[in-house]
Coordinates of all heavy atoms in Angstrom, one line a residue:
L946 N 3.4 -12.2 7.0 CA 2.6 -12.1 5.8 C 2.9 -10.9 5.0 O 2.2 -10.5 4.1 CB 1.1 -11.9 6.3 CG 0.6 -13.2 7.0 CD1 -0.9 -12.9 7.5 CD2 0.5 -14.4 6.0
G947 N 4.1 -10.3 5.3 CA 4.5 -9.2 4.5 C 4.0 -7.9 4.8 O 4.1 -6.9 4.0
C948 N 3.3 -7.8 6.0 CA 2.7 -6.5 6.3 C 3.6 -5.8 7.4 O 4.4 -6.3 8.2 CB 1.4 -6.8 7.1 SG 0.2 -7.7 6.0
G949 N 3.6 -4.4 7.4 CA 4.3 -3.7 8.3 C 3.7 -3.5 9.6 O 4.3 -3.1 10.6
G950 N 2.5 -3.8 9.7 CA 1.7 -3.6 10.9 C 0.3 -4.2 10.8 O -0.1 -4.7 9.7
L951 N -0.4 -4.2 11.9 CA -1.7 -4.8 11.9 C -2.7 -4.0 12.8 O -2.2 -3.7 14.0 CB -1.6 -6.3 12.5 CG -2.9 -7.0 12.7 CD1 -3.6 -7.3 11.4 CD2 -2.7 -8.3 13.5
V952 N -3.9 -3.7 12.3 CA -4.8 -3.0 13.2 C -6.1 -3.9 13.1 O -6.5 -4.1 11.9 CB -5.1 -1.5 12.7 CG1 -6.2 -0.9 13.5 CG2 -3.9 -0.7 12.7
V953 N -6.6 -4.3 14.1 CA -7.8 -5.1 14.2 C -9.1 -4.2 14.4 O -9.1 -3.5 15.4 CB -7.8 -6.2 15.2 CG1 -9.0 -7.0 15.1 CG2 -6.5 -7.1 14.8
I954 N -10.0 -4.2 13.6 CA -11.3 -3.5 13.7 C -12.4 -4.5 13.6 O -12.4 -5.3 12.7 CB -11.5 -2.5 12.6 CG1 -10.3 -1.4 12.6 CG2 -12.7 -1.7 12.7 CD1 -10.2 -0.5 13.7
I983 N -14.1 2.3 11.2 CA -13.6 1.4 10.0 C -13.1 2.2 8.9 O -12.1 2.0 8.2 CB -14.8 0.5 9.6 CG1 -15.1 -0.5 10.7 CG2 -14.6 -0.2 8.3 CD1 -16.3 -1.4 10.6
V986 N -9.6 3.9 9.6 CA -8.5 3.0 9.4 C -8.3 2.5 8.0 O -7.1 2.4 7.6 CB -8.7 1.7 10.4 CG1 -7.7 0.6 10.1 CG2 -8.7 2.2 11.9
A987 N -9.3 2.3 7.3 CA -9.2 1.8 5.9 C -8.5 2.8 5.0 O -7.9 2.5 4.1 CB -10.6 1.5 5.4
R988 N -8.9 4.2 5.3 CA -8.2 5.2 4.5 C -6.7 5.2 4.5 O -6.1 5.7 3.6 CB -8.8 6.6 4.9 CG -10.2 6.9 4.4 CD -10.5 8.3 4.8 NE -12.0 8.5 4.5 CZ -12.9 8.5 5.5 NH1 -12.6 8.4 6.7 NH2 -14.2 8.6 5.1
V989 N -6.1 4.8 5.6 CA -4.7 4.8 5.7 C -4.1 3.5 5.5 O -2.8 3.3 5.5 CB -4.2 5.4 7.1 CG1 -4.7 6.8 7.3 CG2 -4.7 4.5 8.3
A990 N -4.8 2.5 5.2 CA -4.3 1.1 5.1 C -3.9 0.8 3.6 O -4.6 1.5 2.7 CB -5.4 0.1 5.5
N991 N -2.9 0.1 3.4 CA -2.5 -0.3 2.0 C -3.5 -1.4 1.6 O -3.7 -1.6 0.3 CB -1.1 -0.9 2.0 CG -0.1 0.3 2.2 OD1 -0.3 1.4 1.8 ND2 1.0 -0.1 2.9
S992 N -4.0 -2.2 2.4 CA -4.8 -3.2 2.1 C -5.7 -3.6 3.4 O -5.2 -3.2 4.5 CB -4.3 -4.5 1.5 OG -3.3 -4.9 2.4
V993 N -6.8 -4.3 3.2 CA -7.6 -4.7 4.4 C -7.8 -6.3 4.2 O -8.2 -6.7 3.2 CB -9.0 -4.0 4.4 CG1 -9.9 -4.6 5.4 CG2 -8.7 -2.5 4.7
V994 N -7.5 -7.0 5.3 CA -7.8 -8.4 5.4 C -9.2 -8.6 6.1 O -9.3 -8.3 7.3 CB -6.7 -9.1 6.2 CG1 -7.0 -10.6 6.3 CG2 -5.3 -8.9 5.5
C995 N -10.1 -9.0 5.2 CA -11.4 -9.3 5.8 C -11.4 -10.7 6.4 O -11.0 -11.7 5.7 CB -12.4 -9.2 4.8 SG -12.5 -7.6 4.0
L1014 N -15.9 -0.7 1.8 CA -14.4 -0.6 1.6 C -14.1 -0.7 0.1 O -13.2 0.0 -0.3 CB -13.8 -1.8 2.4 CG -14.0 -1.6 3.9 CD1 -13.4 -2.9 4.6 CD2 -13.2 -0.3 4.4
G1015 N -14.7 -1.5 -0.6 CA -14.5 -1.7 -2.0 C -14.8 -0.4 -2.8 O -14.0 0.0 -3.7
G1018 N -12.1 2.0 -2.8 CA -10.8 1.7 -3.5 C -9.8 0.9 -2.7 O -8.7 0.8 -3.1
V1019 N -10.2 0.4 -1.5 CA -9.3 -0.3 -0.7 C -9.2 -1.7 -1.2 O -10.2 -2.4 -1.3 CB -9.7 -0.3 0.9 CG1 -8.9 -1.1 1.7 CG2 -9.9 1.1 1.3
P1020 N -8.0 -2.2 -1.4 CA -7.8 -3.6 -1.8 C -8.2 -4.6 -0.7 O -7.8 -4.4 0.5 CB -6.3 -3.8 -2.1 CG -5.8 -2.4 -2.4 CD -6.6 -1.5 -1.5
L1021 N -9.2 -5.5 -1.0 CA -9.6 -6.4 0.0 C -8.9 -7.8 -0.2 O -8.9 -8.3 -1.3 CB -11.1 -6.5 0.0 CG -11.9 -5.3 0.1 CD1 -13.4 -5.6 0.0 CD2 -11.6 -4.6 1.5
L1022 N -8.5 -8.4 1.0 CA -7.8 -9.7 1.0 C -8.6 -10.5 2.0 O -9.3 -10.0 2.9 CB -6.4 -9.5 1.4 CG -5.5 -8.6 0.5 CD1 -4.2 -8.4 1.2 CD2 -5.4 -9.2 -0.9
A1023 N -8.4 -11.8 2.0 CA -9.0 -12.8 2.8 C -8.0 -14.0 3.1 O -7.0 -14.1 2.3 CB -10.3 -13.3 2.3
L1044 N -2.7 -15.0 2.0 CA -3.7 -13.9 1.7 C -4.1 -14.1 0.2 O -3.3 -14.3 -0.7 CB -3.2 -12.7 2.0 CG -2.9 -12.3 3.4 CD1 -2.2 -11.0 3.5 CD2 -4.2 -12.3 4.2
V1045 N -5.4 -14.0 0.0 CA -5.9 -14.0 -1.5 C -6.8 -12.8 -1.6 O -7.5 -12.4 -0.7 CB -6.7 -15.4 -1.8 CG1 -5.7 -16.6 -1.6 CG2 -7.9 -15.5 -0.8
P1046 N -6.8 -12.2 -2.9 CA -7.7 -11.2 -3.2 C -9.1 -11.5 -3.0 O -9.5 -12.7 -3.2 CB -7.4 -10.8 -4.6 CG -6.1 -11.5 -4.9 CD -6.0 -12.7 -4.0
W1047 N -10.0 -10.6 -2.6 CA -11.4 -10.8 -2.4 C -12.2 -9.8 -3.3 O -12.0 -8.6 -3.0 CB -11.9 -10.8 -1.1 CG -13.3 -11.1 -0.8 CD1 -14.2 -11.9 -1.7 CD2 -14.2 -10.7 0.2 NE1 -15.4 -12.0 -1.1 CE2 -15.5 -11.3 0.0 CE3 -13.9 -9.8 1.3 CZ2 -16.5 -11.0 0.8 CZ3 -15.0 -9.5 2.1 CH2 -16.3 -10.1 2.0

Side-chain angles (χ1 to χ4, degrees):
L946 297 174
C948 300
L951 172 71
V952 176
V953 176
I954 302 290
I983 290 170
V986 170
R988 279 189 194 100
V989 299
N991 292 326
S992 59
V993 171
V994 178
C995 301
L1014 295 173
V1019 176
L1021 302 180
L1022 303 170
L1044 294 170
V1045 295
W1047 184 29

